[in-house]
Amino acid sequence: MKQAFTPLLAVFILAGSAFTLVSADNWKIADGYSITFSTDEASGIFKDFKGSIVFDEQNPATSKFDVTIDVASVNTGNGLQNKHLKSDEWLDAAKYPLIHFTSQKVVKTSSGYQVTGNLDMHGAKKPLIIPFTFKRTATGGLFTGAFNVNRNDFQVGKPGGEVSDQIKLEVSVPVTK
Amino acid sequence: MLNKSLILGIVSGVLAGIAGILYARVYYKINEADFSAVVSSMKIIAASLVAGILAGIGYTVLDRLLKKKGEIVFNFLFTILSFASLLVPIAYKLPLNLETPDLFPGMVIPMHFFPALSWYTLKPLFIRK
């Protein structure tokens, strides 16, 4: 019994420390996040955003992002524009209710970090690279990032026309442990 | 004539403003859509007063220029301009923190007709021909 005690204790300590390491990387999305999109012609926000974030500043390779945006939560500030954007002519919220991003690889860069993953939107799945920064705050941390999405890659709207093909997205997500 | 039509414009503007404020409160109670951050009571009164005063000036000008046909043209113009002004709330972009922007035109559009309605209602009391 005494002989088994030390190895058992070692296993418990190891398991415990491993759990601590994993749980330390899990972040909860806090209130006050902002997902904005803009073109020269229109701009707005997505109000509903959720998902799981596993991120370790020291070891970004172990990080994992799996987040979704509720398409129906889009708000441009104009009721008619919202209706138009949710219609089958654009995002088709009834058929494709979610925009889903899952990461595959997170690396550190000179200006911050970069996540490579797949963006699933409007029935099309395309690879996407998002540069972002992470800052520690009093309550946890803050992710910020800005990137462009070509709406034609996802067959959103008709190519050309009044709305530019490149949609600029800016993300600011406060997180807590 | 200018004095009478200006007084009519101011009184009908105030009446339209009061009607607008009451309507906004009823609309809020029914729909729970609060747009007071964008359309405050002061703004409703001010916009209605401006519309009333402009109507008073416009009426005087058309009455002097077109004599008997002035009132007919004025009434047509006032109604047409009230309709045309609907484009403003329809295209208006609200702050993004406000919920249910689709309910905004429903609140503001009727208000755009209040100055004209007040004018047509009160005019026989102020200007008789």
Side-chain angles (χ1 to χ4, degrees):
Chain A
M1 184 64 187
K2 276 183 183 175
Q3 284 175 338
F5 179 74
T6 310
L8 266 174
L9 185 67
V11 168
F12 273 118
I13 290 169
L14 264 175
S17 61
F19 179 75
T20 308
L21 279 173
V22 170
S23 64
D25 298 338
N26 280 312
W27 296 92
K28 285 178 189 167
I29 296 168
D31 288 341
Y33 58 78
S34 142
I35 316 292
T36 66
F37 64 91
S38 60
T39 67
D40 291 340
E41 301 77 17
S43 60
I45 58 166
F46 287 100
K47 288 183 283 183
D48 293 341
F49 171 72
K50 55 189 171 186
S52 67
I53 296 174
V54 179
F55 180 71
D56 183 356
E57 296 162 89
Q58 305 308 322
N59 189 12
T62 60
S63 303
K64 180 81 181 163
F65 295 86
D66 189 333
V67 291
T68 55
I69 289 169
D70 182 3
V71 175
S73 73
V74 70
N75 185 17
T76 61
N78 182 282
L80 279 179
Q81 217 170 45
N82 288 353
K83 206 172 174 182
H84 192 51
L85 201 51
K86 284 185 261 186
S87 74
D88 57 0
E89 212 175 316
W90 288 90
L91 290 169
D92 200 354
K95 197 172 177 184
Y96 308 108
L98 296 174
I99 295 171
H100 187 199
F101 178 79
T102 45
S103 70
Q104 287 178 325
K105 189 175 72 175
V106 181
V107 293
K108 199 167 176 48
T109 62
S110 57
S111 57
Y113 302 91
Q114 184 175 280
V115 54
T116 306
N118 285 317
L119 183 68
D120 193 345
M121 178 168 76
H122 199 244
K125 200 175 196 175
K126 300 278 176 188
L128 182 73
I129 294 169
I130 303 174
F132 69 94
T133 59
F134 177 78
K135 280 180 187 165
R136 289 271 175 183
T137 62
T139 53
L142 177 70
F143 289 96
T144 52
F147 55 99
N148 289 328
V149 170
N150 189 328
R151 63 183 179 86
N152 294 330
D153 290 344
F154 300 90
Q155 290 89 48
V156 174
K158 289 172 187 167
E162 286 180 6
V163 180
S164 53
D165 295 339
Q166 293 292 333
I167 311 293
K168 187 180 179 186
L169 283 118
E170 288 176 305
V171 179
S172 172
V173 182
V175 288
T176 55
K177 285 278 186 188
Chain B
M1 178 60 82
L2 180 62
N3 276 347
K4 278 185 179 178
S5 57
L6 268 182
I7 292 167
L8 170 59
I10 291 166
V11 174
S12 60
V14 169
L15 186 67
I18 292 167
I21 290 167
L22 290 174
Y23 175 72
R25 292 198 177 163
V26 170
Y27 193 84
Y28 172 64
K29 284 201 171 177
I30 293 170
N31 297 298
E32 291 191 348
D34 183 13
F35 299 110
S36 58
V38 180
V39 186
S40 63
S41 297
M42 280 302 292
K43 281 183 181 173
I44 294 171
I45 288 278
S48 303
L49 262 177
V50 168
I53 291 167
L54 286 176
I57 295 167
Y59 181 85
T60 308
V61 170
L62 287 171
D63 188 63
R64 282 184 189 168
L65 286 175
L66 304 172
K67 307 292 179 195
K68 283 182 181 177
K69 288 180 182 173
E71 187 170 355
I72 298 165
V73 173
F74 170 81
N75 288 349
F76 266 102
L77 266 179
F78 203 0
T79 305
I80 288 166
L81 286 173
S82 297
F83 269 105
S85 70
L86 300 186
L87 288 173
V88 177
I90 288 170
Y92 194 79
K93 200 170 157 68
L94 291 165
L96 296 174
N97 61 326
L98 286 181
E99 303 280 337
T100 59
D102 45 321
L103 292 175
F104 181 69
M107 188 190 88
V108 185
I109 283 174
M111 290 182 192
H112 280 232
F113 294 103
F114 291 170
L117 283 173
S118 298
W119 176 279
Y120 300 142
T121 306
L122 296 175
K123 192 191 157 276
L125 299 175
F126 286 83
I127 301 166
R128 288 177 192 179
K129 285 191 175 177

